[in-house]
Amino acid sequence: MTSMPAPIPDQAPIRACTVSRDIQNFDLLIKDMEAELGDGWGDIAFADAPDFLDRPEARDLEFIAVAVGDADEANIAEIGEIVGAATRHDLRVLVIAERLSPIALHQLMRKGADDFVPYPLPEGALHEAIERFGRPRTAPPLPPARPAPADPTRPGLPRSGRDGLVLPVQGLAGGVGASTFAVNLAMELSIEARKSAGRVCLLDLDLQFGSAATYLDLPRKDAVFDLLSGIAAMDGDGFLQALQRYRNAFHVLTAPADILPLGIVGPDEINTLIDMARSQFEFVVIDMPKTLVNWTEAVLNKSHLYFALLELDMRSAENARRVIRVLKSEGLPRERLRFALNRAPGFTDLSGRGRMRRLADSLDIDIGLRLPDCGKAVTKAGDHGQTLAETAARAPLRKEIRMLARSLQDFGTASVAAPQ
Ligand SMILES: Nc1ncnc2c1ncn2[C@@H]1O[C@H](COP(=O)(O)OP(=O)(O)OP(=O)(O)O)[C@@H](O)[C@H]1O
Ligand SMILES: [Mg+2]
């Protein structure tokens, strides 16, 4: 390590720089920086950072690691300015967060930080972040834009300018494509949100059979069980430790490794979990279990839009009827439901379209989203642990989800107040 900004003769080029009140409070970070960069990094105090970032040598850095602890929260606005200045100079910013409140962390991320890791750093976390920073920042290429369809999200959402948009996804019958939709919605939102430095998180709350880990080829970490079994005591660090990053795109809370009773969490825990996620992410996509549980109502009340996936068959129709009846009888916010018909009939399938109309009429619902059947391409993407954006970018299903993500982006950029 070298103290910046003093020039260092005969020394390895400085590739990165830590920015902190006192780097000695982060001795494990020092160790990791040395392991990754040898002498090729420097350290700078918060007070010196604004001047340093204006200097030409700062432009050559690969990234800065802003190390912040709970003792720094009183100065979080100034630290945010440092993050903002670094971002304006096109520098990558990694936040190292020690017992930082979700609100403070959220503030730094909104200033444009590229990533965060909790302190003490999980093994390999700094290495992974440096690797990601080595890759180009640009989003995967997108197919040419098509004119936007009628807004599938329709009725106005309440907006506040603070927390993230909560978007649960529930299949109304087994295997109707809810997880595929949730995973790809998270991916498309994260591609769209890069323009506004928005951040996306996918919570797989299908605690028993959640397949986000499979569809994204992520391990099921023990930390997820620890988190779920102790949500009341969860802090920002515990939450972050349990998340994983899919590519450089979005964060994921996978379902736990072992099959757990769905009652391991109750409405209070779920409210806490969603509040924590909303405080740090602009979009919170939730893959729900297909059964209604005692915390489904809590999720519905926290949601801005609640996607209900169905197919054109009796199973889905009957279940949709039951769900609507329950919502009505319990006085729950039915207007938040957005019905999405998966494997929807194409334009030329006139009899299929007739059946679709009859289904919508008989349930007295509007089927705002129609997701085409894309055959093996979808299953193949899932089996390979990748999203459609990566494996089948031109698939019509991907295009539909992408257009939805775009329309949701308008709501998400300023963030939205939860209905409750
Ligand atoms: N539009 C589609 N076109 C082709 N295949 C699809 C489509 N949607 C989903 N699939 C396939 O259907 C299968 C079930 O999808 P998925 O796991 O997303 O459903 P689910 O509703 O989450 O199921 P579960 O009830 O098990 O949670 C997967 O193999 C997936 O690849
Ligand atoms: Mg599923």
Side-chain angles (χ1 to χ4, degrees):
M1 171 186 61
T2 221
S3 185
M4 302 282 281
I8 312 298
D10 301 329
Q11 191 155 3
I14 302 298
R15 293 172 50 198
C17 178
T18 55
V19 184
S20 62
R21 186 164 39 86
D22 179 358
I23 193 62
Q24 298 309 328
N25 295 334
F26 293 89
D27 49 348
L28 295 172
L29 174 62
I30 298 179
K31 239 174 86 205
D32 280 6
M33 291 291 280
E34 279 172 358
E36 292 298 323
L37 304 167
D39 283 337
W41 64 284
D43 164 54
I44 194 161
F46 286 139
D48 298 326
D51 282 346
F52 170 69
L53 290 172
D54 279 337
R55 292 169 51 163
E57 57 264 40
R59 311 282 181 281
D60 297 332
L61 296 178
E62 289 170 26
F63 69 98
I64 63 169
V66 181
V68 195
D70 51 354
D72 298 310
E73 291 210 9
N75 304 321
I76 206 70
E78 288 107 277
I79 300 170
E81 289 311 310
I82 296 172
V83 171
T87 311
R88 282 193 296 282
H89 290 311
D90 214 25
L91 275 176
R92 308 273 196 157
V93 180
L94 175 65
V95 172
I96 313 285
E98 187 191 24
R99 292 195 302 273
L100 204 57
S101 72
I103 292 173
L105 182 56
H106 182 59
Q107 228 172 310
L108 299 184
M109 299 313 295
R110 292 207 67 133
K111 285 285 178 183
D114 293 274
D115 203 352
F116 58 79
V117 284
Y119 181 88
L121 288 90
E123 199 170 335
L126 183 64
H127 179 79
E128 283 170 22
I130 294 174
E131 265 194 353
R132 279 197 297 274
F133 290 164
R135 294 189 205 124
R137 226 176 202 155
T138 48
L142 303 171
R146 273 175 28 186
D151 180 358
T153 57
R154 279 173 300 105
L157 294 169
R159 304 180 55 145
S160 84
R162 284 193 77 86
D163 297 324
L165 202 64
V166 179
L167 304 168
V169 179
Q170 171 146 18
L172 292 181
V176 291
S179 301
T180 303
F181 178 76
V183 160
N184 284 287
L185 179 60
M187 183 62 174
E188 298 305 329
L189 282 169
S190 75
I191 292 172
E192 291 299 319
R194 281 181 209 183
K195 296 166 198 160
S196 57
R199 291 154 45 79
V200 180
C201 160
L202 170 66
L203 305 178
D204 190 348
L205 296 189
D206 188 356
L207 301 178
Q208 296 188 328
F209 298 109
S211 39
T214 310
Y215 288 166
L216 298 170
D217 193 22
L218 293 171
R220 293 171 196 257
K221 288 168 63 172
D222 291 340
V224 174
F225 173 75
D226 298 343
L227 179 88
L228 294 173
S229 50
I231 288 183
M234 168 183 67
D235 60 7
D237 285 355
F239 179 59
L240 299 181
Q241 295 271 8
L243 296 184
Q244 298 183 69
R245 190 103 188 232
Y246 178 71
R247 308 273 187 254
N248 203 11
F250 58 96
H251 286 78
V252 187
L253 182 77
T254 69
D258 295 319
I259 294 181
L260 301 176
L262 291 170
I264 190 174
V265 288
D268 290 346
E269 287 81 13
I270 287 295
N271 280 329
T272 308
L273 183 66
I274 295 178
D275 286 343
M276 172 68 80
R278 292 191 68 213
S279 73
Q280 301 193 26
F281 294 91
E282 274 70 35
F283 297 96
V284 180
V285 179
I286 303 177
D287 192 358
M288 292 289 287
K290 67 174 181 292
T291 44
L292 298 185
V293 286
N294 72 344
W295 42 267
T296 306
E297 180 178 339
V299 178
L300 180 63
N301 282 328
K302 285 274 175 204
S303 71
H304 298 90
L305 295 176
Y306 195 105
F307 292 102
L309 266 84
L310 66 162
E311 284 186 13
L312 205 45
D313 57 17
M314 278 313 282
R315 254 176 6 132
S316 292
E318 285 300 318
N319 291 352
R321 200 180 312 281
R322 288 195 193 113
V323 168
I324 292 167
R325 202 184 306 140
V326 170
L327 297 188
K328 259 189 194 160
S329 66
E330 301 284 323
L332 293 170
R334 195 158 74 97
E335 68 286 355
R336 291 185 201 159
L337 285 189
R338 291 294 177 274
F339 290 93
L341 184 69
N342 196 6
R343 300 189 167 91
F347 277 114
T348 51
D349 179 358
L350 295 181
S351 80
R353 293 175 75 78
R355 280 192 295 139
M356 183 171 72
R357 255 194 313 277
R358 285 195 293 281
L359 174 74
D361 288 348
S362 73
L363 293 172
D364 193 21
I365 59 170
D366 186 17
I367 299 177
L369 275 167
R370 293 154 199 189
L371 306 170
D373 190 333
C374 290
K376 289 199 178 115
V378 183
T379 316
K380 210 167 129 197
D383 286 349
H384 283 87
Q386 291 183 321
T387 61
L388 292 172
E390 297 154 294
T391 55
R394 307 186 86 80
L397 174 61
R398 190 242 165 168
K399 288 184 183 165
E400 285 302 321
I401 299 177
R402 193 175 136 218
M403 284 194 285
L404 171 66
R406 281 188 176 167
S407 63
L408 290 169
Q409 189 68 28
D410 295 339
F411 298 113
T413 41
S415 288
V416 186
Q420 239 186 40

